Amino acid sequence: MKKATGITCAFLDVGDVLLTDGWDHLARKQAAKHFKLEWAEMEVRHHHDLRGIRGWRLTLEEYLNLVVFYKKRSFTRNQFRQFYVCAVKALSRDDPI
Protein backbone atom coordinates (compact mmCIF):
# COMPACT_ATOMS: atom_id res chain seq x y z
CA MET A 1 0.00 0.00 0.00
CA LYS A 2 1.27 3.47 -0.94
CA LYS A 3 1.78 6.05 1.71
CA ALA A 4 -0.67 8.96 1.36
CA THR A 5 0.89 12.30 0.60
CA GLY A 6 -0.31 15.58 2.05
CA ILE A 7 -2.19 18.16 0.03
CA THR A 8 0.28 20.67 -1.33
CA CYS A 9 -2.10 23.16 -2.92
CA ALA A 10 -5.78 23.82 -3.55
CA PHE A 11 -7.30 25.60 -6.53
CA LEU A 12 -10.43 27.60 -5.77
CA ASP A 13 -12.66 29.99 -7.63
CA VAL A 14 -13.97 32.14 -4.82
CA GLY A 15 -15.78 34.53 -7.16
CA ASP A 16 -17.42 37.53 -5.57
CA VAL A 17 -18.65 35.97 -2.32
CA LEU A 18 -17.52 32.67 -0.83
CA LEU A 19 -20.30 30.05 -0.45
CA THR A 20 -23.12 32.31 -1.62
CA ASP A 21 -25.04 32.73 -4.84
CA GLY A 22 -23.40 36.12 -4.94
CA TRP A 23 -24.72 39.28 -6.53
CA ASP A 24 -25.17 37.51 -9.85
CA HIS A 25 -27.07 38.72 -12.92
CA LEU A 26 -30.31 37.12 -11.71
CA ALA A 27 -30.16 38.96 -8.37
CA ARG A 28 -29.30 42.22 -10.11
CA LYS A 29 -32.16 41.74 -12.57
CA GLN A 30 -34.58 41.15 -9.68
CA ALA A 31 -33.29 44.30 -7.96
CA ALA A 32 -33.73 46.32 -11.16
CA LYS A 33 -37.30 45.10 -11.53
CA HIS A 34 -38.16 45.54 -7.84
CA PHE A 35 -36.75 49.08 -7.63
CA LYS A 36 -37.76 50.05 -11.20
CA LEU A 37 -34.18 50.64 -12.32
CA GLU A 38 -33.05 50.64 -15.94
CA TRP A 39 -31.57 47.11 -16.28
CA ALA A 40 -29.20 47.79 -19.19
CA GLU A 41 -27.76 50.91 -17.55
CA MET A 42 -27.36 49.12 -14.23
CA GLU A 43 -25.50 46.27 -15.93
CA VAL A 44 -23.12 48.63 -17.72
CA ARG A 45 -22.38 50.45 -14.47
CA HIS A 46 -22.03 47.13 -12.57
CA HIS A 47 -19.53 45.63 -15.01
CA HIS A 48 -17.57 48.86 -15.23
CA ASP A 49 -17.26 49.08 -11.44
CA LEU A 50 -16.86 45.36 -10.83
CA ARG A 51 -13.16 45.69 -11.63
CA GLY A 52 -12.80 47.75 -8.48
CA ILE A 53 -14.65 45.23 -6.33
CA ARG A 54 -12.63 42.30 -7.64
CA GLY A 55 -9.47 44.23 -6.88
CA TRP A 56 -10.81 44.91 -3.36
CA ARG A 57 -10.85 48.61 -4.06
CA LEU A 58 -14.58 49.29 -3.56
CA THR A 59 -16.71 48.94 -0.48
CA LEU A 60 -20.40 48.06 -0.79
CA GLU A 61 -21.26 51.71 -0.12
CA GLU A 62 -18.93 52.89 -2.89
CA TYR A 63 -20.43 50.30 -5.24
CA LEU A 64 -23.97 51.47 -4.41
CA ASN A 65 -22.91 55.08 -5.01
CA LEU A 66 -21.64 54.23 -8.48
CA VAL A 67 -24.21 51.67 -9.63
CA VAL A 68 -27.48 52.67 -7.94
CA PHE A 69 -27.30 55.96 -6.04
CA TYR A 70 -25.46 58.10 -8.59
CA LYS A 71 -28.77 60.01 -8.81
CA LYS A 72 -31.76 60.58 -6.53
CA ARG A 73 -33.95 57.50 -6.04
CA SER A 74 -37.47 56.92 -4.70
CA PHE A 75 -36.12 54.32 -2.24
CA THR A 76 -33.52 54.47 0.50
CA ARG A 77 -30.07 52.96 0.75
CA ASN A 78 -31.32 50.80 3.61
CA GLN A 79 -34.14 49.41 1.47
CA PHE A 80 -31.72 48.53 -1.31
CA ARG A 81 -29.11 47.18 1.11
CA GLN A 82 -31.75 44.95 2.74
CA PHE A 83 -32.73 43.59 -0.69
CA TYR A 84 -29.04 43.01 -1.47
CA VAL A 85 -28.43 41.11 1.78
CA CYS A 86 -31.44 38.86 1.11
CA ALA A 87 -30.32 38.25 -2.48
CA VAL A 88 -26.77 37.29 -1.44
CA LYS A 89 -27.76 34.34 0.68
CA ALA A 90 -25.69 31.37 1.74
CA LEU A 91 -25.84 28.20 -0.30
CA SER A 92 -27.68 25.31 1.30
CA ARG A 93 -26.33 21.77 1.44
CA ASP A 94 -28.57 20.85 -1.49
CA ASP A 95 -27.23 23.56 -3.81
CA PRO A 96 -24.65 22.42 -6.37
CA ILE A 97 -21.23 24.00 -5.94
Side-chain angles (χ1 to χ4, degrees):
M1 183 160 102
K2 291 184 178 182
K3 183 178 179 182
T5 59
I7 297 173
T8 58
C9 66
F11 297 94
L12 304 173
D13 179 8
V14 175
D16 294 337
V17 185
L18 186 63
L19 293 177
T20 72
D21 288 337
W23 185 236
D24 66 1
H25 72 283
L26 296 175
R28 293 190 308 275
K29 196 169 220 174
Q30 287 177 327
K33 183 178 180 180
H34 181 79
F35 291 103
K36 297 178 176 67
L37 301 172
E38 179 61 42
W39 165 247
E41 182 181 6
M42 184 178 175
E43 275 299 276
V44 168
R45 296 180 77 84
H46 167 80
H47 286 290
H48 173 72
D49 296 317
L50 189 61
R51 291 178 297 214
I53 291 172
R54 290 219 170 129
W56 299 104
R57 291 186 298 268
L58 284 181
T59 65
L60 175 59
E61 292 308 309
E62 290 168 328
Y63 172 83
L64 293 179
N65 286 342
L66 295 167
V67 177
V68 179
F69 293 100
Y70 57 92
K71 63 182 181 181
K72 189 160 177 65
R73 299 293 185 185
S74 62
F75 51 90
T76 67
R77 284 179 171 277
N78 281 341
Q79 289 170 318
F80 195 90
R81 207 178 297 113
Q82 184 177 17
F83 184 95
Y84 173 88
V85 168
C86 290
V88 181
K89 57 184 178 244
L91 294 173
S92 75
R93 289 183 160 215
D94 298 328
D95 290 330
I97 296 179

